[in-house]
């Protein structure tokens, strides 16, 4: 499956941030990122619970918290929800109380 990923990248809280586009020509449900193999710094994201139940990652996919499947945290969203040629916009949750630390990582210390 071919996907285009528009991923929010931000070096730190003071950086303005921007979207970077990644073309994935052979997306499969079993795949993991290849950015490190390509010499690109991996996208930073948070996952504290290790259980896939908390939703604490603070990620939105196409403007929806966590992604297309309702009541499902981002880490349990599956590529089967998408079609060949789709473009996904992945960004941090936009809330003043959760400033972006880096890429997709938000500061949840106010919780």
């Amino acid at each position: 499956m071919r996907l285009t990923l528009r991923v929010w990248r931000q070096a730190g809280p003071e950086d303005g941030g921007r979207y970077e586009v990644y073309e994935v020509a052979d997306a499969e449900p079993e795949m993991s990122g290849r950015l490190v193999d390509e010499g690109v710094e991996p996208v930073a994201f948070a996952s504290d619970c290790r259980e896939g139940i908390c939703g604490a990652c603070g990620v939105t996919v196409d403007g929806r918290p966590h992604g297309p499947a309702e009541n499902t945290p981002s880490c349990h969203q599956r590529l089967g929800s998408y079609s060949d040629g789709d473009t996904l916009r992945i960004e941090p949750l936009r809330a003043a109380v959760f400033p972006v630390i880096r890429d997709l990582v938000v500061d949840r210390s106010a919780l």
Side-chain angles (χ1 to χ4, degrees), residues 20-21 32 44 49-50 52 69 76 84 89:
E20 286 191 7
V21 177
S32 60
C49 71
R50 296 178 185 90
H76 280 275
D84 187 48
R89 188 180 74 242

Side-chain angles (χ1 to χ4, degrees), residues 29-54:
E30 307 79 31
M31 72 181 286
S32 60
R34 287 174 261 158
L35 294 178
V36 174
D37 292 342
E38 296 172 1
V40 176
E41 187 168 342
V43 177
F45 65 96
S47 60
D48 291 341
C49 71
R50 296 178 185 90
E51 299 287 331
I53 58 172
C54 70

Side-chain angles (χ1 to χ4, degrees), residues 15-104:
D15 181 42
R18 77 246 169 246
Y19 285 101
E20 286 191 7
V21 177
Y22 301 97
E23 299 289 337
V24 181
D26 56 352
E28 297 176 10
E30 307 79 31
M31 72 181 286
S32 60
R34 287 174 261 158
L35 294 178
V36 174
D37 292 342
E38 296 172 1
V40 176
E41 187 168 342
V43 177
F45 65 96
S47 60
D48 291 341
C49 71
R50 296 178 185 90
E51 299 287 331
I53 58 172
C54 70
C57 57
V59 173
T60 65
V61 180
D62 294 334
R64 291 185 56 141
H66 310 299
E70 292 192 30
N71 298 317
T72 306
S74 299
C75 61
H76 280 275
Q77 299 286 337
R78 300 294 178 240
L79 288 176
S81 300
Y82 303 98
S83 299
D84 187 48
D86 281 354
T87 297
L88 286 67
R89 188 180 74 242
I90 305 168
E91 60 188 317
L93 181 64
R94 304 289 181 184
V97 70
F98 300 130
V100 175
I101 295 173
R102 181 169 171 246
D103 295 341
L104 303 176

